[in-house]
Amino acid sequence: MLVTVLVKNGKYRVIERQEISKIMEEQNLGQSGRVTEQSAAKIGKLLGVELAVFGAVTEFGYSKSKTGGRIKGVAVGVSKQKATVAVDVRIVNTTTGEILAADNVRKEETTSGLSFSSRLTRFNDRKSFDNSLVGKATRNAVNEIFSLVEKQMEVLPWSGKIILVKGSVIYIKPGSEGGVKTGDVFAVYSKGEELIDPDTGLSLGVEEQKVGTIKVTSLITGGKAAKAMLISGTGVKKGDIIKVQ
């Protein structure tokens, strides 16, 4: 569900688990196959992603209680059904390996009435699951996790990258998908030595030196890239980082 929400939002590029597993295997980043804060930083550089979302379902199910009695000789029963979904979630900055947010998202949905179906956890299709109490609780949990991701993205400094320099034309990513517009001006930074925390072994970023300024001249169809021109500086090259001035 979370992947669907992120993709439909249109602002995020979501990496499939199969692609992450392939990178981990190729780079020997862990025999267990699990992504950790340490390996997330390395994977982030290889895949070009900014955030990693870790989740573990800690509670998933429902409970049903029933009370009843007799009124003037007539049996009356009232049932109450409760669905609970809980997820431990962590959001990690893949540049540094820092945990930006950690929370236990727990959602409940309840209903009560005189009669209920006993087939509470059998779903014939996606629609029947979505309409169930468990489905609604799951959706609410996913929406809250999405809000956590959105909040972290709002404070994460925007950056892009030069993907090709061809004569006087500079190609950058992202394009319109990343909010880039014709006329935007960006500072260009060349990456230097990586800064490693001696205590944790995690990356703290890299040395950066400003080498120029570029201006976006046109957007490339598809929204993933744009063309720009150099307006100051020299030595701009493929792989350099661009940032908002």
PDB file of all heavy atoms in Angstrom, residues 23-36:
ATOM      1  N   ILE A  23      21.562  -5.092  -5.540  1.00  0.00           N
ATOM      2  CA  ILE A  23      22.689  -4.218  -5.200  1.00  0.00           C
ATOM      3  C   ILE A  23      23.429  -4.755  -3.980  1.00  0.00           C
ATOM      4  O   ILE A  23      24.663  -4.787  -3.937  1.00  0.00           O
ATOM      5  CB  ILE A  23      22.196  -2.782  -4.929  1.00  0.00           C
ATOM      6  CG1 ILE A  23      21.715  -2.132  -6.229  1.00  0.00           C
ATOM      7  CG2 ILE A  23      23.287  -1.936  -4.288  1.00  0.00           C
ATOM      8  CD1 ILE A  23      22.818  -1.855  -7.223  1.00  0.00           C
ATOM      9  N   MET A  24      22.670  -5.199  -2.971  1.00  0.00           N
ATOM     10  CA  MET A  24      23.293  -5.716  -1.754  1.00  0.00           C
ATOM     11  C   MET A  24      24.141  -6.942  -2.048  1.00  0.00           C
ATOM     12  O   MET A  24      25.234  -7.107  -1.510  1.00  0.00           O
ATOM     13  CB  MET A  24      22.218  -6.052  -0.719  1.00  0.00           C
ATOM     14  CG  MET A  24      21.502  -4.838  -0.153  1.00  0.00           C
ATOM     15  SD  MET A  24      20.334  -5.278   1.140  1.00  0.00           S
ATOM     16  CE  MET A  24      21.445  -5.813   2.439  1.00  0.00           C
ATOM     17  N   GLU A  25      23.626  -7.800  -2.918  1.00  0.00           N
ATOM     18  CA  GLU A  25      24.365  -9.013  -3.267  1.00  0.00           C
ATOM     19  C   GLU A  25      25.636  -8.670  -4.038  1.00  0.00           C
ATOM     20  O   GLU A  25      26.708  -9.213  -3.766  1.00  0.00           O
ATOM     21  CB  GLU A  25      23.473  -9.929  -4.105  1.00  0.00           C
ATOM     22  CG  GLU A  25      24.130 -11.251  -4.470  1.00  0.00           C
ATOM     23  CD  GLU A  25      23.208 -12.154  -5.259  1.00  0.00           C
ATOM     24  OE1 GLU A  25      21.993 -11.866  -5.316  1.00  0.00           O
ATOM     25  OE2 GLU A  25      23.704 -13.146  -5.825  1.00  0.00           O
ATOM     26  N   GLU A  26      25.512  -7.745  -4.992  1.00  0.00           N
ATOM     27  CA  GLU A  26      26.668  -7.373  -5.810  1.00  0.00           C
ATOM     28  C   GLU A  26      27.744  -6.677  -4.987  1.00  0.00           C
ATOM     29  O   GLU A  26      28.939  -6.856  -5.227  1.00  0.00           O
ATOM     30  CB  GLU A  26      26.221  -6.456  -6.953  1.00  0.00           C
ATOM     31  CG  GLU A  26      25.370  -7.162  -8.007  1.00  0.00           C
ATOM     32  CD  GLU A  26      24.857  -6.200  -9.053  1.00  0.00           C
ATOM     33  OE1 GLU A  26      25.009  -4.975  -8.849  1.00  0.00           O
ATOM     34  OE2 GLU A  26      24.314  -6.660 -10.071  1.00  0.00           O
ATOM     35  N   GLN A  27      27.311  -5.879  -4.000  1.00  0.00           N
ATOM     36  CA  GLN A  27      28.260  -5.105  -3.204  1.00  0.00           C
ATOM     37  C   GLN A  27      28.616  -5.782  -1.883  1.00  0.00           C
ATOM     38  O   GLN A  27      29.355  -5.216  -1.079  1.00  0.00           O
ATOM     39  CB  GLN A  27      27.674  -3.709  -2.916  1.00  0.00           C
ATOM     40  CG  GLN A  27      27.359  -2.906  -4.164  1.00  0.00           C
ATOM     41  CD  GLN A  27      28.599  -2.566  -4.949  1.00  0.00           C
ATOM     42  OE1 GLN A  27      29.644  -2.257  -4.377  1.00  0.00           O
ATOM     43  NE2 GLN A  27      28.500  -2.608  -6.277  1.00  0.00           N
ATOM     44  N   ASN A  28      28.053  -6.973  -1.648  1.00  0.00           N
ATOM     45  CA  ASN A  28      28.330  -7.722  -0.419  1.00  0.00           C
ATOM     46  C   ASN A  28      28.029  -6.869   0.815  1.00  0.00           C
ATOM     47  O   ASN A  28      28.863  -6.707   1.712  1.00  0.00           O
ATOM     48  CB  ASN A  28      29.792  -8.184  -0.390  1.00  0.00           C
ATOM     49  CG  ASN A  28      30.035  -9.219   0.696  1.00  0.00           C
ATOM     50  OD1 ASN A  28      29.118  -9.946   1.094  1.00  0.00           O
ATOM     51  ND2 ASN A  28      31.262  -9.287   1.188  1.00  0.00           N
ATOM     52  N   LEU A  29      26.795  -6.334   0.864  1.00  0.00           N
ATOM     53  CA  LEU A  29      26.418  -5.419   1.940  1.00  0.00           C
ATOM     54  C   LEU A  29      25.637  -6.096   3.059  1.00  0.00           C
ATOM     55  O   LEU A  29      24.908  -5.459   3.780  1.00  0.00           O
ATOM     56  CB  LEU A  29      25.580  -4.269   1.368  1.00  0.00           C
ATOM     57  CG  LEU A  29      26.321  -3.330   0.429  1.00  0.00           C
ATOM     58  CD1 LEU A  29      25.384  -2.277  -0.120  1.00  0.00           C
ATOM     59  CD2 LEU A  29      27.488  -2.673   1.150  1.00  0.00           C
ATOM     60  N   GLY A  30      25.760  -7.354   3.215  1.00  0.00           N
ATOM     61  CA  GLY A  30      25.075  -8.008   4.327  1.00  0.00           C
ATOM     62  C   GLY A  30      24.598  -9.385   3.944  1.00  0.00           C
ATOM     63  O   GLY A  30      23.882  -9.553   2.967  1.00  0.00           O
ATOM     64  N   GLN A  31      24.995 -10.381   4.705  1.00  0.00           N
ATOM     65  CA  GLN A  31      24.623 -11.747   4.387  1.00  0.00           C
ATOM     66  C   GLN A  31      23.176 -12.054   4.746  1.00  0.00           C
ATOM     67  O   GLN A  31      22.579 -12.973   4.207  1.00  0.00           O
ATOM     68  CB  GLN A  31      25.555 -12.712   5.123  1.00  0.00           C
ATOM     69  CG  GLN A  31      27.012 -12.582   4.685  1.00  0.00           C
ATOM     70  CD  GLN A  31      27.906 -13.548   5.429  1.00  0.00           C
ATOM     71  OE1 GLN A  31      27.486 -14.194   6.380  1.00  0.00           O
ATOM     72  NE2 GLN A  31      29.154 -13.648   4.998  1.00  0.00           N
ATOM     73  N   SER A  32      22.599 -11.286   5.671  1.00  0.00           N
ATOM     74  CA  SER A  32      21.229 -11.565   6.106  1.00  0.00           C
ATOM     75  C   SER A  32      20.200 -11.113   5.090  1.00  0.00           C
ATOM     76  O   SER A  32      19.057 -11.540   5.118  1.00  0.00           O
ATOM     77  CB  SER A  32      20.946 -10.865   7.441  1.00  0.00           C
ATOM     78  OG  SER A  32      20.927  -9.455   7.268  1.00  0.00           O
ATOM     79  N   GLY A  33      20.600 -10.224   4.172  1.00  0.00           N
ATOM     80  CA  GLY A  33      19.647  -9.703   3.197  1.00  0.00           C
ATOM     81  C   GLY A  33      18.839  -8.538   3.721  1.00  0.00           C
ATOM     82  O   GLY A  33      18.023  -7.969   3.011  1.00  0.00           O
ATOM     83  N   ARG A  34      19.059  -8.154   4.968  1.00  0.00           N
ATOM     84  CA  ARG A  34      18.324  -7.043   5.562  1.00  0.00           C
ATOM     85  C   ARG A  34      19.089  -5.742   5.364  1.00  0.00           C
ATOM     86  O   ARG A  34      20.308  -5.689   5.492  1.00  0.00           O
ATOM     87  CB  ARG A  34      18.101  -7.281   7.057  1.00  0.00           C
ATOM     88  CG  ARG A  34      17.198  -8.449   7.370  1.00  0.00           C
ATOM     89  CD  ARG A  34      17.044  -8.588   8.869  1.00  0.00           C
ATOM     90  NE  ARG A  34      16.523  -7.365   9.460  1.00  0.00           N
ATOM     91  CZ  ARG A  34      16.581  -7.095  10.768  1.00  0.00           C
ATOM     92  NH1 ARG A  34      17.148  -7.943  11.591  1.00  0.00           N
ATOM     93  NH2 ARG A  34      16.074  -5.972  11.231  1.00  0.00           N
ATOM     94  N   VAL A  35      18.341  -4.685   5.069  1.00  0.00           N
ATOM     95  CA  VAL A  35      18.954  -3.369   4.933  1.00  0.00           C
ATOM     96  C   VAL A  35      19.076  -2.746   6.317  1.00  0.00           C
ATOM     97  O   VAL A  35      18.110  -2.673   7.063  1.00  0.00           O
ATOM     98  CB  VAL A  35      18.098  -2.454   4.030  1.00  0.00           C
ATOM     99  CG1 VAL A  35      18.779  -1.102   3.868  1.00  0.00           C
ATOM    100  CG2 VAL A  35      17.881  -3.097   2.676  1.00  0.00           C
ATOM    101  N   THR A  36      20.271  -2.304   6.668  1.00  0.00           N
ATOM    102  CA  THR A  36      20.503  -1.643   7.947  1.00  0.00           C
ATOM    103  C   THR A  36      20.804  -0.172   7.703  1.00  0.00           C
ATOM    104  O   THR A  36      20.960   0.259   6.560  1.00  0.00           O
ATOM    105  CB  THR A  36      21.688  -2.285   8.682  1.00  0.00           C
ATOM    106  OG1 THR A  36      22.878  -2.059   7.906  1.00  0.00           O
ATOM    107  CG2 THR A  36      21.478  -3.781   8.858  1.00  0.00           C
TER     108      THR A  36
END
